[in-house]
Amino acid sequence: MVKRVSIIAVLVLSLISSCYGQVTVGYYNNKCGTKDVESIIRGVVKARFSYEPAIVAFLLRLQFHDCLGDKQCDASLLLAGPGSEQTAVPNFTVKGYDLIDAIKAALEQECPGVVSCSDIIAAATRDAVVLAGGSYYDVPMGRKDGLVGLASNVDLPPPDISVANAIQYYGKEGFSALETVVLLGGHTVGVTHCSVIKDRLYNYKGTQRADPDLDAFYVFFLGNIICHNDPNAVDMFVFLDSPDSVLTVDNSYYKMLLDHKGILPIDNAIAFDPSTSGYVNDLAKSNDNFLDLFSKTIVKMGLIGVLTGNQGEIRQVCSRTN
């Protein structure tokens, strides 16, 4: 099983991620005078990461929601205002907009009108992943920014989606079952809220008890220490990975799943569904395999519905069109 993931899947993903089309690695070389675009982006991300390492989770989620929310990696999620994608319920807790704005401002100062907001998202996410322990990967660039971002276009999977439906959802964008499991590995630095998982902790399927698939000690810890079972309590964050690895991009998320500590219903489900359990087991055994596959799958996600040429624009300010 490990050989299947580490050799065949990696070769397939390598082939896919090398076929970039109109976006290319090194797109901004010599396009910003003597300045290096990716170095500027990296510098701003590194400065933010130094005091807020959780920015890696914010950026991964931001890229995921931008690309898969409306099936276009076009920075449409950054557009603000009534009826925008930011007002869609799944995007209420998306963060990181201010960092993208800071990077854009730094780039506009050096080379106005050159770097798109959508390329900034892709490069900044890569840089944060690397700072958090992930593998470096080249980011093909040359995207243009979209002109429209509507809440009505947002279609993101709920946390209780079934494995079959998750595979179908991601499959429509060309992802395999393995890649679906790898994308969910972004939860290695993810968080949710007590309100999202309260039924699993206190009243699973109307039983007035916890979900029996959850580790009993973990139920006690989450229910009594973190969430308190108090409707008047603050809606606390719950990390989706182990407490000692919540800010590190690694395969510990999969180990958590095998220990019956998957926080979201879909996390728990992929560990024990016959169509995905083998992948979870393999990824839990090899951090190197996970990091390699994760970087390739993120690159592939970043190519969904990209706009190039005259299809979009390079925004002067990421929160509004020109």
Side-chain angles (χ1 to χ4, degrees):
M1 186 73 75
V2 173
K3 183 178 291 185
R4 171 169 52 83
V5 171
S6 61
I7 297 178
I8 297 178
V10 169
L11 288 175
V12 171
L13 283 170
S14 296
L15 177 61
I16 292 172
S17 62
S18 64
C19 301
Y20 299 139
Q22 295 185 57
V23 292
T24 59
V25 173
Y27 177 82
Y28 290 108
N29 290 348
N30 304 314
K31 287 185 170 66
C32 192
T34 60
K35 303 293 184 178
D36 181 76
V37 166
E38 295 197 44
S39 292
I40 294 172
I41 296 172
R42 188 174 303 114
V44 179
V45 174
K46 186 175 181 179
R48 179 67 170 270
F49 185 87
S50 67
Y51 66 86
E52 190 176 19
I55 194 66
V56 63
F58 301 162
L59 289 175
L60 275 169
R61 190 160 186 248
L62 193 156
Q63 186 182 20
F64 180 95
H65 282 229
D66 181 54
C67 290
L68 284 163
D70 65 348
K71 312 304 181 285
Q72 284 191 307
C73 298
D74 63 350
S76 55
L77 178 57
L78 303 185
L79 294 173
S84 68
E85 289 181 31
Q86 294 182 17
T87 67
V89 173
N91 293 330
F92 282 176
T93 56
V94 172
K95 298 181 179 181
Y97 302 119
D98 60 328
L99 176 61
I100 302 300
D101 288 340
I103 296 171
K104 179 63 173 174
L107 288 166
E108 286 296 298
Q109 185 173 1
E110 297 295 342
C111 44
V114 172
V115 185
S116 68
C117 300
S118 48
D119 277 342
I120 292 172
I121 292 173
T125 300
R126 182 271 311 279
D127 294 335
V129 166
V130 172
L131 288 167
S135 297
Y136 179 88
Y137 54 93
D138 288 320
V139 176
M141 298 196 208
R143 300 167 183 79
K144 293 293 179 65
D145 299 322
L147 302 175
V148 178
L150 300 175
S152 57
N153 291 337
V154 174
D155 175 27
L156 288 163
D160 60 350
I161 190 173
S162 69
V163 173
N165 286 340
I167 291 173
Q168 182 181 43
Y169 174 89
Y170 292 105
K172 289 179 180 178
E173 303 310 314
F175 294 104
S176 66
L178 168 60
E179 290 169 313
T180 297
V181 172
V182 172
L183 275 178
L184 288 169
H187 289 171
T188 180
V189 290
V191 297
T192 187
H193 291 266
C194 290
S195 58
V196 175
I197 62 169
K198 62 182 181 180
D199 288 348
R200 292 195 75 202
L201 299 177
Y202 310 117
N203 188 27
Y204 182 67
K205 294 185 176 180
T207 62
Q208 300 297 313
R209 296 182 180 181
D211 184 343
D213 276 346
L214 272 175
D215 174 81
F217 175 79
Y218 212 52
V219 167
F220 176 85
F221 172 72
L222 292 174
N224 294 280
I225 307 301
I226 304 298
C227 297
H228 307 298
N229 195 18
D230 181 354
N232 298 315
V234 176
D235 192 9
M236 297 295 291
F237 283 114
V238 178
F239 292 109
L240 302 181
D241 199 352
S242 60
D244 61 348
S245 182
V246 293
L247 296 176
T248 303
V249 175
D250 61 16
N251 70 332
S252 63
Y253 160 77
Y254 299 103
K255 298 176 183 178
M256 287 275 291
L257 303 190
L258 296 178
D259 288 337
H260 293 269
K261 295 178 181 178
I263 302 298
L264 299 178
I266 184 59
D267 293 335
N268 179 75
I270 61 171
F272 304 105
D273 188 282
S275 63
T276 52
S277 59
Y279 299 131
V280 172
N281 275 277
D282 290 343
L283 292 166
K285 293 175 183 176
S286 174
N287 190 52
D288 288 342
N289 277 350
F290 166 65
L291 294 180
D292 191 28
L293 290 167
F294 187 64
S295 62
K296 289 180 171 64
T297 307
I298 292 298
V299 169
K300 182 175 177 178
M301 181 183 73
L303 299 176
I304 294 174
V306 296
L307 305 177
T308 58
N310 297 321
Q311 294 176 312
E313 66 179 10
I314 295 177
R315 292 182 210 146
Q316 297 175 358
V317 177
C318 290
S319 60
R320 63 177 185 268
T321 61
N322 298 336

